[in-house]
Amino acid sequence: MAATTHRYLLLIFLAAVSSLLLVESGDTNHIYRPCSDTTVQRSDGFTFAIAFASRTAFFYKNNSSLQLSPCDSRLSLSSQNSQISVFRPKVDEISLLTINTSSSSPDNYGGYMVAFAGRKYAARSLPAFVANSTYTVTSFTLVLEFKKGRLQNLYWKRDGCTRCTGNNNFVCLNNQDCAIRTSNCKNHGGSVDCSLGIQLAFSGTDKHLAVLNSWYEVENLRQYSLFGLYSNLRNSLTSQYNKIF
């Protein structure tokens, strides 16, 4: 990674961590770094991150089948072409995370993303395809699974392209993700804001063994559009597609 890019990533990380210090009262989790371990209860803030890089960058170089957490120093993402976004959602609340890609496109950083948190108790998702020069996926659902308040797993939930079936404006990739052609994205000269939208939910139990229910709420609402759950959001991706095609 070029020195300027490395400094840029460091500034993004420091700015994100600084913003996390503005914590609501009642938040008992005082761990703000994604590469630190913690246990949480309902309504705590919880810090995790998403790294963008090539798919192979998330695997140990001496073992192509061993996927490491981006917090693992053996991965050395900082020396590769990668980016990181840091989030602090409230535990057991359904959230919609957005990543603005107007200035830099995920396909410029390898086109895959991994969600992660923790160090000794490191958890990471499988790499999810986001974009290449042909297709871009803009809508995802991520579930954070806890056991006694400790993060155990992060996994992407797919709906098998049910949201775009029969719509010629989209392409169904691998029978699991709805994608738009990258050439239609603003950062590639098109008309659509292809910023990423990630619906976030929780499952499992908190440190007091209270059940985390937000994933079950999402399951019950799967018949609705992701962005239909957030009617206050303007210029949703879906409405944009309908306007330009």
Side-chain angles (χ1 to χ4, degrees):
M1 179 186 297
T4 55
T5 303
H6 182 69
R7 286 196 296 272
Y8 176 67
L9 289 176
L10 180 60
L11 288 173
I12 289 178
F13 182 79
L14 291 177
V17 171
S18 296
S19 67
L20 298 179
L21 297 178
L22 300 176
V23 181
E24 295 182 31
S25 60
D27 183 351
T28 68
N29 178 25
H30 303 302
I31 300 299
Y32 307 114
R33 297 172 181 265
C35 289
S36 297
D37 298 308
T38 189
T39 58
V40 295
Q41 64 184 21
R42 295 181 66 181
S43 298
D44 276 350
F46 179 76
T47 304
F48 78 100
I50 295 178
F52 295 86
S54 66
R55 189 180 187 281
T56 56
F58 296 109
F59 292 84
Y60 187 42
K61 61 183 179 179
N62 294 329
N63 185 344
S64 59
S65 64
L66 177 60
Q67 183 189 344
L68 300 177
S69 166
C71 294
D72 193 315
S73 60
R74 293 174 294 173
L75 210 56
S76 300
L77 280 182
S78 61
S79 64
Q80 303 183 50
N81 187 33
S82 60
Q83 279 193 325
I84 184 173
S85 294
V86 182
F87 302 94
R88 190 178 174 88
K90 184 174 286 189
V91 174
D92 209 27
E93 286 193 1
I94 300 173
S95 304
L96 181 66
L97 313 178
T98 58
I99 300 175
N100 189 339
T101 59
S102 59
S103 59
S104 61
S105 177
D107 61 293
N108 293 330
Y109 295 93
Y112 282 80
M113 65 179 175
V114 166
F116 65 95
R119 182 172 295 278
K120 180 180 179 180
Y121 300 97
R124 76 285 183 276
S125 72
L126 292 174
F129 171 78
V130 183
N132 58 23
S133 59
T134 306
Y135 299 115
T136 296
V137 180
T138 59
S139 179
F140 297 87
T141 298
L142 178 66
V143 180
L144 277 63
E145 182 179 25
F146 289 79
K147 181 178 181 181
K148 296 181 180 179
R150 178 87 65 189
L151 181 65
Q152 303 293 306
N153 194 15
L154 308 96
Y155 54 94
W156 306 103
K157 293 292 293 186
R158 265 70 179 216
D159 64 2
C161 296
T162 57
R163 294 192 184 104
C164 60
T165 299
N167 190 332
N168 294 329
N169 301 330
F170 297 87
V171 176
C172 181
L173 300 180
N174 302 316
N175 295 316
Q176 62 181 16
D177 291 317
C178 297
I180 184 175
R181 295 191 181 278
T182 301
S183 58
N184 290 323
C185 297
K186 285 184 178 179
N187 52 6
H188 286 81
S191 304
V192 178
D193 180 358
C194 290
S195 295
L196 304 185
I198 302 174
Q199 185 177 4
L200 186 71
F202 295 79
S203 69
T205 56
D206 75 357
K207 64 183 180 181
H208 303 301
L209 298 182
V211 176
L212 306 178
N213 293 312
S214 58
W215 168 240
Y216 302 103
E217 295 171 5
V218 170
E219 279 284 77
N220 291 333
L221 295 170
R222 290 298 284 256
Q223 69 266 33
Y224 301 107
S225 166
L226 163 63
F227 290 94
L229 297 175
Y230 302 89
S231 58
N232 60 324
L233 288 179
R234 297 181 178 179
N235 300 320
S236 72
L237 301 181
T238 304
S239 64
Q240 289 184 81
Y241 299 147
N242 292 334
K243 289 178 182 178
I244 69 171
F245 290 106

